[in-house]
Amino acid sequence: MDMQEFNALPLNERTASVWKLGTFLSSRTKGNYSLALYHIGSFFSEMWYDPVENKIMLVQAFTSRTLPEPYLELIELPRL
């Protein structure tokens, strides 16, 4: 599945695809939302969760290197 196919899916199918195919990379908080970054093949996906509503509000795919920048300081790579 490429990024355009992924973004064309309904929200519930994008969510299921992330959980099935994605590799979790990191999470962070933005305002009242909990955000999680995943890698899926040739693109990244960001999932926005609203804990008050107990609901996933947004799942979007992207290839830009600027969107994952806020996560970079949170990701720890083990020493080789």
Side-chain angles (χ1 to χ4, degrees):
M1 170 181 347
D2 66 21
M3 185 178 73
Q4 288 76 23
E5 292 170 323
F6 179 87
N7 281 332
L9 295 172
L11 177 61
N12 65 327
E13 291 182 35
R14 288 193 311 267
T15 302
S17 294
V18 168
W19 286 335
K20 181 178 179 181
L21 305 171
T23 300
F24 175 78
L25 299 176
S26 185
S27 63
R28 65 187 180 102
T29 302
K30 184 172 184 178
N32 294 330
Y33 297 98
S34 296
L35 284 65
L37 180 67
Y38 294 84
H39 181 257
I40 304 173
S42 63
F43 59 91
F44 294 99
S45 180
E46 187 173 57
M47 186 179 293
W48 290 57
Y49 171 72
D50 182 342
V52 174
E53 296 288 325
N54 191 27
K55 183 177 178 182
I56 294 171
M57 306 302 284
L58 175 68
V59 177
Q60 62 182 356
F62 59 93
T63 57
S64 167
R65 293 178 188 236
T66 57
L67 192 57
E69 283 181 6
Y71 294 96
L72 293 179
E73 64 187 45
L74 304 171
I75 298 173
E76 293 184 28
L77 299 175
R79 281 198 128 134
L80 299 176

